[in-house]
Amino acid sequence: MRIIAGRARRFPARRGRWRAFLIILLVALIPAAYLFGKSQAPEVPEGAADEFALYLEAWEAVREDYVDRSRLDPREQTYGAIRGMLESLGDEGHTRFLTPEEARANRDELAGEYVGVGIQVEDRDGRVVVSAPIDGSPADEAGIRPGDVIVAVDGRSVRDMELNRVVELIRGPEDTGLRLTVERGGREFTFPLDRTEIRVPAASWLMIPGTDAAVLRLAAFSAGAADEVERVMEEAEEAGAGRFILDLRNNPGGRVDQVPGIAGQFLEPGQVVYIRKDADGREHEVSVPRRAEPTRAPVVVLVNEGTASSAEILAGALQSHGRAKVVGETTFGTGTVLNEFVLEDGSAILLGVAEWLTPDGRFIREDGIEPDVRAELPEEVRPLTPDESRNLSREQMLDRDPQLGRAFEVLQSGS
C-alpha cells in the first residue's frame, strides 16, 4: 500500500477546533513514536489536517483489522508512506527515500569508495537504467553499458521493483558474486559479476603519442575531485600538454560543489558555471571562484549518453561560454539538484530542491546536453580509459575509440 501524505489541499473549515487539534496531536505522536521513539514531530501544515486524517484512518484500519498481524511493522508502514509521498512528486529516479543502510552507502559512493559491481543507475519511466559503469569496475570490464535496462538479479525479475530495492539486491558483501541480466536493443544479456571494493578514480590523464594533446579523463565528481583535476592538469602541462580533450563519457556526476572548481581550470574567475532555479522560481548564478587560474590551452569536451548530472553541468558551461566544442552523443539528462535531509533514525530523503540550467538558460533535465559535433561508438566498443591506452600507439588509440578520434580531429582543426 502506498500512502500519499504530502500533497495538501485546502478544505472548508467544517470541523471544530478540537478536531483539528486532535488530528495534529495524533499525527505528531503516533507515527513519530513508532519510528523514532519520540513524542514530538513536525506540526501538520495549516489546512492539511483532513489529508493527514486520511492517513490516520487507513493506519488505524490496518492496525485493527489486517488479517496477518505478524506482518504489521509500523516502521515499514511509515517508510512506505514516505516513499509514496515522494513518488507522488513525479521526480522519478532523483527524489527518493533511503533507508539508514542505503543512506550510508550513498555517502560512501559520493566519497569515492563503496562495495558493489560499479554501476550508477537511474529510474527512467519505471525502469532501472544504467547511467554509467565506473571505470575499471567489474561491470565496466564485463561490458555493461549506459542505457542498459536491468531486468533481473540472480534470475529474479526486477521489472516492477523500486530503484532502491534493485540497488539493495545488487549490492552485498565484498567478494560475493551475482548474475545481472540487462535488456539492450530488445535482447537480454546476463553478466556474471563479482562484488568488490570500488575506488572511483576522480581524474587521470594520458598524452596522445606524438602530439601535445592530453586526454584528461574525469570519471566522477566525488569528494576532492576539483583538487584531483588541478593536480593531473599540472602533471600534464609539465609533460608538455598544450591542448586537452576533457573526457566526461560515462561520468555519472556526483557532488555539484566540485563543479565550480573544475570549471575554473578552463573558465575565467566570475564566469557563470550554472544557474540554480529553486522551488519558488528564484534563480541563482553559481560562478567560477575568484582564485581560479584557468589554462588558456584549447579544449574539446567528449560526452556520451552516460554523461550525467554534474558532468552535464560542466559540459554545458564550457559549451555555453564558447570555451570548448562538445563532441559525442546527447547526455543523460539529469537536471535535479538533490539535497539530503537526514531523518532521526538515520534514514534520509534525497529531495530535488532545485533544477539547474546552463549559463545561457538551457534546462538539462530530460533534454541533456546536445553535442556540437555528433560522434558515436559502435555498439560493441566501449570508451578507452588512459590506463587502457598507455601501451597503444596514436593510431591504435584513435582507431579503437572512434569517438576519441573524432574529438582529436576537432581539436586539431580548432573548429
Side-chain angles (χ1 to χ4, degrees):
M1 179 179 66
R2 293 178 178 176
I3 310 297
I4 300 178
R7 186 169 287 179
R9 293 176 292 167
R10 301 282 182 179
F11 279 81
R14 57 179 181 267
R15 294 182 175 87
R17 183 173 299 178
W18 67 268
R19 170 67 169 157
F21 175 79
L22 178 61
I23 292 172
I24 292 173
L25 182 63
L26 286 173
V27 173
L29 294 182
I30 295 177
Y34 276 100
L35 182 56
F36 305 131
K38 303 179 80 173
S39 60
Q40 294 183 8
E43 290 185 0
V44 177
E46 182 182 354
D50 290 294
E51 265 60 7
F52 280 86
L54 291 177
Y55 170 74
L56 286 176
E57 289 179 47
W59 186 88
E60 184 69 12
V62 170
R63 187 177 68 87
E64 291 288 340
D65 297 318
Y66 185 62
V67 65
D68 187 355
R69 296 290 180 89
S70 66
R71 298 297 299 274
L72 296 180
D73 184 334
R75 181 180 296 268
E76 286 304 313
Q77 289 172 261
T78 304
Y79 281 177
I82 296 171
R83 289 190 182 99
M85 176 180 64
L86 298 180
E87 288 173 6
S88 76
L89 304 177
D91 190 19
E92 295 182 357
H94 303 281
T95 293
R96 58 193 183 274
F97 173 76
L98 303 178
T99 66
E101 296 76 18
E102 291 166 346
R104 285 193 294 270
N106 184 66
R107 293 184 203 109
D108 289 344
E109 190 170 320
L110 289 175
E113 295 184 10
Y114 64 97
V115 173
V117 299
I119 53 172
Q120 300 282 343
V121 293
E122 296 249 356
D123 185 305
R124 278 292 174 99
D125 299 322
R127 303 189 303 170
V128 179
V129 179
V130 176
S131 57
I134 301 300
D135 287 353
S137 67
D140 181 42
E141 293 177 352
I144 291 177
R145 301 172 189 160
D148 285 348
V149 179
I150 298 176
V151 296
V153 178
D154 284 331
R156 177 181 178 182
S157 174
V158 298
R159 290 184 184 274
D160 297 319
M161 200 174 288
E162 293 180 354
L163 176 67
N164 290 341
R165 179 57 179 150
V166 176
V167 171
E168 185 180 309
L169 290 176
I170 293 173
R171 287 185 172 171
E174 190 173 2
D175 297 326
T176 60
L178 77 158
R179 291 177 296 111
L180 195 68
T181 302
V182 303
E183 183 181 286
R184 179 192 303 162
R187 299 172 58 195
E188 290 189 1
F189 302 86
T190 298
F191 298 89
L193 302 171
D194 293 322
R195 298 181 180 96
T196 185
E197 184 176 10
I198 305 296
R199 296 181 180 272
V200 182
S204 56
W205 71 278
L206 178 71
M207 197 78 79
I208 296 178
T211 76
D212 68 343
V215 178
L216 173 61
R217 168 69 183 151
L218 182 56
F221 286 74
S222 52
D227 291 337
E228 188 71 7
V229 170
E230 181 179 3
R231 181 185 66 78
V232 299
M233 284 193 66
E234 288 177 355
E235 289 180 1
E237 289 175 333
E238 289 174 1
R243 295 174 295 164
F244 289 93
I245 296 173
L246 178 59
D247 188 354
L248 300 178
R249 292 175 297 176
N250 294 347
N251 184 319
R255 296 184 55 143
V256 72
D257 62 353
Q258 298 297 303
V259 178
I262 296 172
Q265 298 297 317
F266 305 98
L267 298 177
E268 297 295 328
Q271 284 190 299
V272 176
V273 179
Y274 66 96
I275 301 169
R276 174 186 171 120
K277 185 175 182 180
D278 295 325
D280 58 6
R282 290 184 301 176
E283 294 185 356
H284 170 68
E285 294 182 344
V286 178
S287 302
V288 173
R290 292 183 178 180
R291 66 179 184 279
E293 298 179 0
T295 180
R296 300 294 190 271
V299 59
V300 166
V301 179
L302 189 52
V303 300
N304 67 359
E305 62 182 1
T307 304
S309 185
S310 299
E312 294 175 283
I313 294 177
L314 181 60
L318 271 61
Q319 184 185 55
S320 294
H321 287 292
R323 181 64 180 89
K325 293 289 187 182
V326 175
V327 177
E329 302 163 272
T330 304
T331 62
F332 197 77
T334 304
T336 307
V337 181
L338 292 181
N339 273 8
E340 181 185 50
F341 294 85
V342 180
L343 306 181
E344 290 287 344
D345 69 337
S347 60
I349 294 172
L350 296 182
L351 188 65
V353 297
E355 289 187 293
W356 47 55
L357 293 75
T358 61
D360 55 2
R362 290 173 289 151
F363 279 95
I364 296 175
R365 184 181 182 185
E366 296 184 354
D367 295 331
I369 299 297
E370 290 288 340
D372 299 298
V373 179
R374 185 163 293 276
E376 298 182 356
L377 277 182
E379 186 173 325
E380 68 279 3
V381 177
R382 63 187 181 89
L384 284 176
T385 66
D387 283 344
E388 294 169 330
S389 304
R390 296 206 183 277
N391 296 320
L392 300 179
S393 68
R394 177 175 63 186
E395 291 73 18
Q396 288 173 324
M397 282 181 63
L398 305 184
D399 286 346
R400 286 178 55 177
D401 190 340
Q403 275 182 330
L404 178 61
R406 187 70 180 103
F408 182 66
E409 290 175 3
V410 173
L411 187 65
Q412 289 277 77
S413 67
S415 61

